[in-house]
Short mmCIF file of all heavy atoms in Angstrom, two decimals:
data_model
loop_
_atom_site.label_atom_id
_atom_site.label_comp_id
_atom_site.label_asym_id
_atom_site.label_seq_id
_atom_site.Cartn_x
_atom_site.Cartn_y
_atom_site.Cartn_z
N VAL A 44 5.52 7.92 0.95
CA VAL A 44 5.05 6.55 1.16
C VAL A 44 5.87 5.58 0.31
O VAL A 44 6.29 4.51 0.78
CB VAL A 44 3.55 6.43 0.83
CG1 VAL A 44 3.13 4.96 0.79
CG2 VAL A 44 2.72 7.18 1.86
N ALA A 45 6.12 5.94 -0.95
CA ALA A 45 6.90 5.08 -1.84
C ALA A 45 8.30 4.83 -1.29
O ALA A 45 8.79 3.70 -1.28
CB ALA A 45 6.98 5.70 -3.23
N LYS A 46 8.92 5.89 -0.79
CA LYS A 46 10.27 5.76 -0.22
C LYS A 46 10.25 4.93 1.06
O LYS A 46 11.09 4.05 1.26
CB LYS A 46 10.85 7.15 0.04
CG LYS A 46 12.29 7.11 0.54
CD LYS A 46 12.83 8.53 0.71
CE LYS A 46 14.28 8.50 1.22
NZ LYS A 46 14.82 9.88 1.39
N GLY A 47 9.28 5.22 1.92
CA GLY A 47 9.21 4.50 3.19
C GLY A 47 8.90 3.03 3.02
O GLY A 47 9.43 2.18 3.74
N ARG A 48 8.03 2.70 2.06
CA ARG A 48 7.62 1.32 1.86
C ARG A 48 8.48 0.59 0.84
O ARG A 48 8.34 -0.61 0.63
CB ARG A 48 6.15 1.26 1.41
CG ARG A 48 5.16 1.80 2.43
CD ARG A 48 5.21 1.05 3.72
NE ARG A 48 5.03 -0.39 3.53
CZ ARG A 48 5.46 -1.32 4.37
NH1 ARG A 48 6.13 -0.99 5.46
NH2 ARG A 48 5.26 -2.60 4.12
N GLY A 49 9.38 1.33 0.18
CA GLY A 49 10.28 0.70 -0.79
C GLY A 49 9.58 0.23 -2.04
O GLY A 49 9.89 -0.85 -2.58
N VAL A 50 8.62 1.02 -2.53
CA VAL A 50 7.89 0.66 -3.75
C VAL A 50 7.91 1.85 -4.71
O VAL A 50 8.33 2.96 -4.35
CB VAL A 50 6.43 0.26 -3.44
CG1 VAL A 50 6.37 -0.93 -2.51
CG2 VAL A 50 5.66 1.44 -2.82
N ALA A 51 7.44 1.63 -5.93
CA ALA A 51 7.37 2.70 -6.91
C ALA A 51 6.22 3.65 -6.58
O ALA A 51 5.20 3.25 -6.02
CB ALA A 51 7.17 2.12 -8.31
N ILE A 52 6.40 4.92 -6.95
CA ILE A 52 5.34 5.91 -6.73
C ILE A 52 4.07 5.50 -7.46
O ILE A 52 2.96 5.69 -6.96
CB ILE A 52 5.80 7.32 -7.17
CG1 ILE A 52 6.94 7.81 -6.28
CG2 ILE A 52 4.65 8.31 -7.14
CD1 ILE A 52 7.51 9.16 -6.68
N SER A 53 4.22 4.92 -8.64
CA SER A 53 3.05 4.48 -9.41
C SER A 53 2.24 3.44 -8.64
O SER A 53 1.00 3.41 -8.73
CB SER A 53 3.48 3.91 -10.76
OG SER A 53 4.36 2.81 -10.59
N GLN A 54 2.92 2.60 -7.87
CA GLN A 54 2.21 1.60 -7.08
C GLN A 54 1.39 2.25 -5.98
O GLN A 54 0.29 1.79 -5.66
CB GLN A 54 3.21 0.60 -6.46
CG GLN A 54 2.54 -0.53 -5.69
CD GLN A 54 3.54 -1.57 -5.22
OE1 GLN A 54 4.61 -1.73 -5.80
NE2 GLN A 54 3.21 -2.28 -4.15
N VAL A 55 1.93 3.32 -5.40
CA VAL A 55 1.20 4.05 -4.37
C VAL A 55 -0.03 4.73 -4.96
O VAL A 55 -1.13 4.67 -4.41
CB VAL A 55 2.10 5.10 -3.69
CG1 VAL A 55 1.31 5.89 -2.64
CG2 VAL A 55 3.31 4.44 -3.05
N ARG A 56 0.13 5.35 -6.13
CA ARG A 56 -0.95 6.12 -6.74
C ARG A 56 -2.02 5.25 -7.38
O ARG A 56 -3.20 5.57 -7.33
CB ARG A 56 -0.38 7.08 -7.78
CG ARG A 56 0.42 8.23 -7.17
CD ARG A 56 0.98 9.16 -8.23
NE ARG A 56 1.58 10.32 -7.64
CZ ARG A 56 1.21 11.58 -7.89
NH1 ARG A 56 0.22 11.82 -8.73
NH2 ARG A 56 1.81 12.59 -7.31
N GLU A 57 -1.58 4.13 -7.98
CA GLU A 57 -2.52 3.30 -8.73
C GLU A 57 -3.08 2.15 -7.90
O GLU A 57 -4.02 1.47 -8.32
CB GLU A 57 -1.83 2.75 -9.98
CG GLU A 57 -1.42 3.86 -10.96
CD GLU A 57 -0.47 3.37 -12.03
OE1 GLU A 57 -0.33 2.13 -12.18
OE2 GLU A 57 0.14 4.22 -12.72
N GLY A 58 -2.49 1.92 -6.74
CA GLY A 58 -2.98 0.88 -5.82
C GLY A 58 -3.16 1.47 -4.45
O GLY A 58 -3.52 2.64 -4.30
N MET A 59 -2.97 0.65 -3.43
CA MET A 59 -3.03 1.11 -2.04
C MET A 59 -4.32 1.86 -1.70
O MET A 59 -4.31 2.79 -0.90
CB MET A 59 -1.81 1.96 -1.71
CG MET A 59 -0.49 1.21 -1.76
SD MET A 59 0.89 2.10 -1.02
CE MET A 59 2.19 0.83 -1.05
N GLY A 60 -5.40 1.46 -2.33
CA GLY A 60 -6.70 2.02 -1.98
C GLY A 60 -7.11 3.27 -2.73
O GLY A 60 -8.28 3.64 -2.73
N GLN A 61 -6.15 3.97 -3.34
CA GLN A 61 -6.44 5.20 -4.09
C GLN A 61 -7.33 6.17 -3.31
O GLN A 61 -8.30 6.72 -3.83
CB GLN A 61 -7.07 4.86 -5.44
CG GLN A 61 -6.14 4.06 -6.34
CD GLN A 61 -6.73 3.79 -7.70
OE1 GLN A 61 -7.91 4.02 -7.95
NE2 GLN A 61 -5.91 3.30 -8.61
N GLY A 62 -6.99 6.40 -2.07
CA GLY A 62 -7.75 7.32 -1.23
C GLY A 62 -8.66 6.64 -0.24
O GLY A 62 -9.17 7.29 0.68
N ARG A 63 -8.88 5.34 -0.40
CA ARG A 63 -9.71 4.59 0.55
C ARG A 63 -8.83 3.99 1.65
O ARG A 63 -7.64 3.79 1.45
CB ARG A 63 -10.43 3.44 -0.17
CG ARG A 63 -11.45 3.89 -1.19
CD ARG A 63 -11.97 2.68 -1.95
NE ARG A 63 -13.04 3.03 -2.88
CZ ARG A 63 -13.52 2.22 -3.82
NH1 ARG A 63 -13.01 1.00 -3.94
NH2 ARG A 63 -14.49 2.62 -4.61
N VAL A 64 -9.46 3.70 2.80
CA VAL A 64 -8.76 2.92 3.82
C VAL A 64 -8.98 1.45 3.51
O VAL A 64 -10.03 1.06 2.99
CB VAL A 64 -9.26 3.24 5.26
CG1 VAL A 64 -8.83 4.63 5.68
CG2 VAL A 64 -10.76 3.08 5.37
N LEU A 65 -7.98 0.64 3.79
CA LEU A 65 -8.06 -0.79 3.54
C LEU A 65 -7.94 -1.56 4.84
O LEU A 65 -7.23 -1.15 5.75
CB LEU A 65 -6.94 -1.23 2.58
CG LEU A 65 -6.94 -0.61 1.18
CD1 LEU A 65 -5.78 -1.17 0.36
CD2 LEU A 65 -8.26 -0.82 0.47
N GLY A 66 -8.62 -2.70 4.88
CA GLY A 66 -8.51 -3.59 6.03
C GLY A 66 -7.17 -4.28 6.03
O GLY A 66 -6.37 -4.18 5.08
N ALA A 67 -6.91 -5.03 7.09
CA ALA A 67 -5.58 -5.61 7.30
C ALA A 67 -5.14 -6.51 6.15
O ALA A 67 -4.01 -6.37 5.64
CB ALA A 67 -5.59 -6.40 8.62
N ASP A 68 -5.97 -7.44 5.73
CA ASP A 68 -5.58 -8.38 4.68
C ASP A 68 -5.31 -7.67 3.35
O ASP A 68 -4.32 -7.95 2.66
CB ASP A 68 -6.66 -9.45 4.48
CG ASP A 68 -6.76 -10.40 5.66
OD1 ASP A 68 -5.73 -10.61 6.34
OD2 ASP A 68 -7.86 -10.92 5.92
N ALA A 69 -6.20 -6.74 2.98
CA ALA A 69 -6.02 -6.00 1.73
C ALA A 69 -4.78 -5.13 1.78
O ALA A 69 -4.04 -5.01 0.79
CB ALA A 69 -7.25 -5.15 1.44
N ALA A 70 -4.51 -4.52 2.94
CA ALA A 70 -3.33 -3.66 3.09
C ALA A 70 -2.05 -4.48 2.96
O ALA A 70 -1.07 -4.04 2.35
CB ALA A 70 -3.37 -2.95 4.44
N LEU A 71 -2.05 -5.68 3.53
CA LEU A 71 -0.87 -6.55 3.43
C LEU A 71 -0.65 -6.97 1.98
O LEU A 71 0.50 -6.99 1.50
CB LEU A 71 -1.04 -7.77 4.32
CG LEU A 71 0.13 -8.75 4.37
CD1 LEU A 71 1.39 -8.06 4.88
CD2 LEU A 71 -0.21 -9.96 5.24
N ALA A 72 -1.73 -7.27 1.26
CA ALA A 72 -1.61 -7.67 -0.14
C ALA A 72 -1.06 -6.54 -1.00
O ALA A 72 -0.35 -6.78 -1.99
CB ALA A 72 -2.98 -8.11 -0.67
N GLU A 73 -1.35 -5.29 -0.61
CA GLU A 73 -0.88 -4.11 -1.36
C GLU A 73 0.51 -3.66 -0.89
O GLU A 73 1.01 -2.64 -1.35
CB GLU A 73 -1.87 -2.96 -1.20
CG GLU A 73 -3.19 -3.15 -1.93
CD GLU A 73 -3.08 -2.87 -3.41
OE1 GLU A 73 -2.05 -2.29 -3.84
OE2 GLU A 73 -4.01 -3.23 -4.15
N LYS A 74 1.09 -4.40 0.07
CA LYS A 74 2.41 -4.07 0.63
C LYS A 74 2.42 -2.73 1.37
O LYS A 74 3.44 -2.05 1.44
CB LYS A 74 3.49 -4.07 -0.46
CG LYS A 74 3.67 -5.42 -1.14
CD LYS A 74 4.78 -5.39 -2.17
CE LYS A 74 4.95 -6.76 -2.81
NZ LYS A 74 6.03 -6.76 -3.84
N MET A 75 1.27 -2.39 1.92
CA MET A 75 1.18 -1.16 2.71
C MET A 75 1.70 -1.39 4.12
O MET A 75 2.02 -0.42 4.83
CB MET A 75 -0.28 -0.68 2.75
CG MET A 75 -0.83 -0.32 1.39
SD MET A 75 -2.59 0.08 1.44
CE MET A 75 -2.56 1.68 2.24
N VAL A 76 1.73 -2.65 4.57
CA VAL A 76 2.23 -3.00 5.89
C VAL A 76 3.13 -4.22 5.74
O VAL A 76 3.13 -4.91 4.72
CB VAL A 76 1.08 -3.31 6.87
CG1 VAL A 76 0.22 -2.08 7.12
CG2 VAL A 76 0.21 -4.46 6.34
N ASP A 77 3.89 -4.48 6.81
CA ASP A 77 4.81 -5.63 6.81
C ASP A 77 4.19 -6.86 7.43
O ASP A 77 4.76 -7.96 7.31
CB ASP A 77 6.10 -5.26 7.55
CG ASP A 77 6.87 -4.18 6.82
OD1 ASP A 77 7.37 -4.44 5.73
OD2 ASP A 77 6.94 -3.06 7.36
N GLY A 78 3.07 -6.69 8.12
CA GLY A 78 2.45 -7.84 8.73
C GLY A 78 1.20 -7.45 9.50
O GLY A 78 0.90 -6.26 9.70
N ILE A 79 0.44 -8.47 9.91
CA ILE A 79 -0.77 -8.28 10.70
C ILE A 79 -0.50 -8.85 12.08
O ILE A 79 -0.16 -10.04 12.22
CB ILE A 79 -1.97 -9.00 10.05
CG1 ILE A 79 -2.20 -8.47 8.63
CG2 ILE A 79 -3.23 -8.83 10.89
CD1 ILE A 79 -3.21 -9.28 7.83
N SER A 80 -0.63 -8.03 13.10
CA SER A 80 -0.24 -8.46 14.43
C SER A 80 -0.89 -7.59 15.49
O SER A 80 -1.26 -6.45 15.23
CB SER A 80 1.29 -8.39 14.57
OG SER A 80 1.71 -8.87 15.83
#
């Protein structure tokens, strides 16, 4: 995920829901997606 999204592994582990699913706005804020569409 870190490689695909271009972020640090720590950002994936310490953010991005930490095992939870996130809604569109929260996912965009965490840089899990590139946009809402």
Side-chain angles (χ1 to χ4, degrees):
V44 169
K46 184 177 180 180
R48 297 300 306 156
V50 300
I52 294 177
S53 59
Q54 183 174 335
V55 178
R56 290 179 172 239
E57 296 167 13
M59 296 193 172
Q61 297 183 350
R63 294 173 176 169
V64 290
L65 298 181
D68 291 331
L71 182 60
E73 289 282 347
K74 298 182 179 179
M75 298 174 73
V76 296
D77 295 292
I79 302 170
S80 183

